[in-house]
Amino acid sequence: AQSVTQLGSHVSVSEGALVLLRCNYSSSVPPYLFWYVQYPNQGLQLLLKYTSAATLVKGINGFEAEFKKSETSFHLTKPSAHMSDAAEYFCAVSEGTDKLIFGTGTRLQVFP
Amino acid sequence: DAGITQSPRHKVTETGTPVTLRCHQTENHRYMYWYRQDPGHGLRLIHYSYGVKDTDKGEVSDGYSVSRSKTEDFLLTLESATSSQTSVYFCAISQTGNNEQYFGPGTRLTVT
């Protein structure tokens, strides 16, 4: 079965600093990979997805993620954090043909 | 935004009472999912459906049942609510099971 590990349940950065949120998955077979964002009291919104095309995936709000098969990683980055990026971020991986497995989430705080 | 609604949005109920949560979609997606979200656990799959009257269990299905009699509706029932089922419940939909999911706004359930 697939599993997803998000290193760091909380990440704090200053406004304007680089954002790096880490995600590692367990499969040796390249799966579909996703990053979602959740703002307070809302559902999850898709940020970006990897489906075996380009290994560098660009998403909404200036975020991007790079698929690295050798490291089984799919880390999320943004060059310059904005206060509005404060939210919880979830990495997810496809499991078989029917469902996704989600990580436990990373809460991003952005300080002025 | 994908057309997904959940009802009710908030509910407080007593231990031992039955509770039904409803998810309604207007996108005609084949797959529908119920998750619960708890601090430190991320999103955990309760049950999912891959078509009308076709359902399967997720990782935390004990104490929950589901039904899908129409493409657009997916019901989650707690037969006899317990305090451990206090959580935020999210419905999601997907055209294909292993690709992106779209989430509803969530239902906050408190069992006293």
Side-chain angles (χ1 to χ4, degrees):
Chain A
Q2 285 278 11
S3 66
V4 176
T5 302
Q6 291 186 241
L7 293 175
S9 58
H10 289 81
V11 170
S12 298
V13 300
S14 299
E15 193 171 21
L18 171 71
V19 175
L20 170 61
L21 305 182
R22 299 178 188 274
C23 174
N24 289 88
Y25 63 95
S26 62
S27 174
S28 60
V29 176
Y32 292 172
L33 292 155
F34 308 85
W35 275 100
Y36 283 84
V37 61
Q38 184 182 33
Y39 299 103
N41 300 313
Q42 294 186 24
L44 278 70
Q45 301 173 29
L46 182 67
L47 263 182
L48 51 81
K49 66 176 183 179
Y50 167 78
T51 56
S52 75
T55 56
L56 182 62
V57 181
K58 294 187 184 299
I60 61 172
N61 301 337
F63 284 92
E64 62 183 36
E66 186 173 7
F67 172 71
K68 292 187 176 180
K69 182 180 176 181
S70 60
E71 299 177 7
T72 60
S73 69
F74 191 58
H75 301 331
L76 182 70
T77 60
K78 182 174 181 178
S80 177
H82 192 272
M83 296 294 289
S84 61
D85 295 327
E88 189 154 23
Y89 292 80
F90 292 91
C91 181
V93 61
S94 56
E95 166 85 344
T97 59
D98 284 352
K99 49 187 183 282
L100 304 183
I101 305 299
F102 287 83
T104 53
T106 298
R107 185 167 299 278
L108 176 66
Q109 287 185 303
V110 183
F111 293 99
Chain B
D1 289 345
I4 311 168
T5 56
Q6 293 185 232
S7 59
R9 294 292 314 280
H10 301 271
K11 187 170 181 68
V12 180
T13 193
E14 294 184 348
T15 297
T17 59
V19 176
T20 295
L21 309 183
R22 179 180 183 239
C23 177
H24 178 78
Q25 63 150 326
T26 58
E27 305 296 320
N28 201 34
H29 283 5
R30 177 184 174 193
Y31 287 84
M32 298 185 75
Y33 304 83
W34 278 108
Y35 294 91
R36 59 178 290 173
Q37 184 178 24
D38 304 286
H41 292 276
L43 283 161
R44 293 182 291 175
L45 182 64
I46 304 171
H47 282 280
Y48 68 101
S49 170
Y50 47 94
V52 173
K53 298 188 179 178
D54 292 323
T55 65
D56 205 350
K57 296 179 179 180
E59 64 174 301
V60 290
S61 59
D62 287 349
Y64 301 95
S65 63
V66 290
S67 66
R68 191 172 179 195
S69 59
K70 298 184 291 185
T71 298
E72 58 266 35
D73 289 325
F74 192 34
L75 304 181
L76 176 71
T77 297
L78 291 65
E79 302 290 347
S80 177
T82 67
S83 58
S84 65
Q85 293 175 313
T86 292
S87 187
V88 180
Y89 291 85
F90 286 99
C91 174
I93 64 174
S94 178
Q95 282 188 316
T96 60
N98 59 356
N99 217 320
E100 67 258 38
Q101 295 179 9
Y102 301 96
F103 284 79
T107 294
R108 185 173 296 275
L109 176 67
T110 302
V111 184
T112 62

